[in-house]
Amino acid sequence: MTDSLDAEAVLLVGDRGPLADRVATLLSARPYLVIRLGEEVPVRIDVEMICSMLDSVAAVLLPDDLTAEDAGRIRERAREASGRPPVILYTGDPAVVADYQARGLDVLASPFSASYLAHLLDRGRSGKEAELARALGNYQRELQAGAHVQQNLLPTEPAPNGWRVSVRSEPARTVSGDFHDTFPLLGGRRFGFVVADVSGKGVSAGLYVALIRGLLRRLVQDGANRTAVHEMLEHFHGEQPVADETVPRRFAPGEPQLLEAVRTVNAYLAESRSGSYFATLFAGALNPETGAVSYVNAGHPPGLLLGADGSVRRLDATGPVVGLVSGADFETKTLTIEPGETLLLYTDGITEARSIYGNLVGEPALIRVLQDSHGDPERLWPQIRSLVLDQTDGRFRDDVTAMVLQRTRRG
């Protein structure tokens, strides 16, 4: 018996008498709060009244003048409700113990043993704790499986020659709502990259992470037509997505695959019956030889381009978040990353990290860290991590992701 049981209530049924008094004394010494039913005035034991109290007590002790059938009813109701409390009969006639036990009832027989009473109470509690532990274990295994799936989805594309690419992420929970990806485009002539943040956290957000990541990869890499995308989504959801005539069935000649991919993902998320989730994302296509980048920023925090001279350029949004409005307008923008320059992409778990006093990390603090590290990926992430944890008393309250692309020399 542990201190955590202090002041738990035990329902002791039966009018005043030596047996009930002895049980009450043992219970109070544990200690328990003893509720005696029928103590002052002998009453007919009401099974339904006892059952109505099962959710409020840690155990029920019944006298042996209660029929075994009624005791069995009370025990079954306790099991149906939550697996507890334990239902125990107490008796002054040791000869009836075997009969009660044969009916599956716990029995406390005179002379009462304090240790045996504690054993019966603890067994009922440990049984419930074991049930909760099994449920918790199953849930944790599901979370770990989800996290394992996410780990397997992490990109393995090596950085192009003349570039350093580094991505770090810290989930607020086991499964993250942030995601990042890198992948080859046009037979390796382009380097694709994405950083995104799905609304919410945990397993449900993680499912959307898998959906959006798969859609973007399929569309950007393969230039898949609308019919092929429908087929993939139908397999994923077991349902046919709503058609969207505003999106061309095939990529228009010369239209960037990147832009069309974002438009198609947005249209599907906005019109499907998948729920109210949405996402911010920054997706780009890099020419490693020239440093030219085409990008779409869909409601995501601004990308930060650190120049060789320490100046910082913000890459603001080129469209809204994906998943809210089907016909939303997106556009691509371009820039060139010169040798010695660094592009930092991140999720708002960094800049919106909030102290208990409501203070935010904010973009200016992140820019200072970027400048202080000179964009060095190995130095930048530890500083970002410390920036967030110092603000939030040592724990991540939101998913945090940072991607660094640094051009070290001309291609």
Side-chain angles (χ1 to χ4, degrees), residues 174-192:
T174 305
V175 180
S176 177
D178 286 359
F179 78 92
H180 56 275
D181 199 4
T182 58
F183 41 85
L185 296 174
L186 302 177
R189 298 191 302 278
R190 297 292 185 271
F191 181 82

Side-chain angles (χ1 to χ4, degrees), residues 34-78:
V34 181
I35 302 174
R36 297 187 67 165
L37 184 64
E39 176 183 13
E40 299 299 332
V41 180
V43 296
R44 178 180 178 275
I45 295 174
D46 187 322
V47 172
E48 288 303 316
M49 180 173 61
I50 295 171
C51 289
S52 70
M53 302 176 70
L54 292 176
D55 288 337
S56 305
V57 296
V60 178
L61 283 91
L62 304 172
D64 60 5
D65 57 354
L66 183 69
T67 67
E69 288 76 15
D70 283 344
R73 286 173 56 198
I74 294 170
R75 183 199 61 180
E76 291 306 313
R77 288 282 290 276

